């Protein structure tokens, strides 16, 4: 990962918004890793909803 000094980043209480803020500072490999984690989280939410409905 590229190391740069970044000033004045204001994170919020919203995780998705924080990902949008930080994504441009990640290299392509790290962006892909975060995207994969987000897809896995959504997949787990959907399976949890199906268990509750069924």
């Amino acid at each position: 990962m590229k190391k740069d000094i970044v000033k004045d980043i204001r994170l919020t209480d919203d995780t998705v918004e924080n990902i949008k803020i930080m994504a441009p500072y990640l290299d392509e490999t790290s962006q892909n890793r975060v995207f994969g984690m987000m897809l896995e989280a959504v997949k787990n939410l959907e399976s949890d909803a199906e268990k509750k409905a069924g």
Side-chain angles (χ1 to χ4, degrees), residues 36-48:
M37 286 186 230
M38 290 175 61
L39 289 178
E40 186 66 28
V42 169
K43 179 181 170 187
N44 288 337
L45 287 174
E46 289 174 351
S47 66
D48 289 345

Side-chain angles (χ1 to χ4, degrees), residues 9-52:
I9 293 177
R10 305 278 183 214
L11 298 179
T12 68
D13 290 333
D14 182 3
T15 303
V16 176
E17 189 62 33
N18 290 340
I19 291 169
K20 289 181 196 176
I21 292 168
M22 295 305 297
Y25 298 104
L26 300 175
D27 60 19
E28 185 176 355
T29 302
S30 298
Q31 287 179 357
N32 290 336
R33 185 175 296 139
V34 171
F35 182 66
M37 286 186 230
M38 290 175 61
L39 289 178
E40 186 66 28
V42 169
K43 179 181 170 187
N44 288 337
L45 287 174
E46 289 174 351
S47 66
D48 289 345
E50 288 174 4
K51 288 177 186 176
K52 290 179 183 177

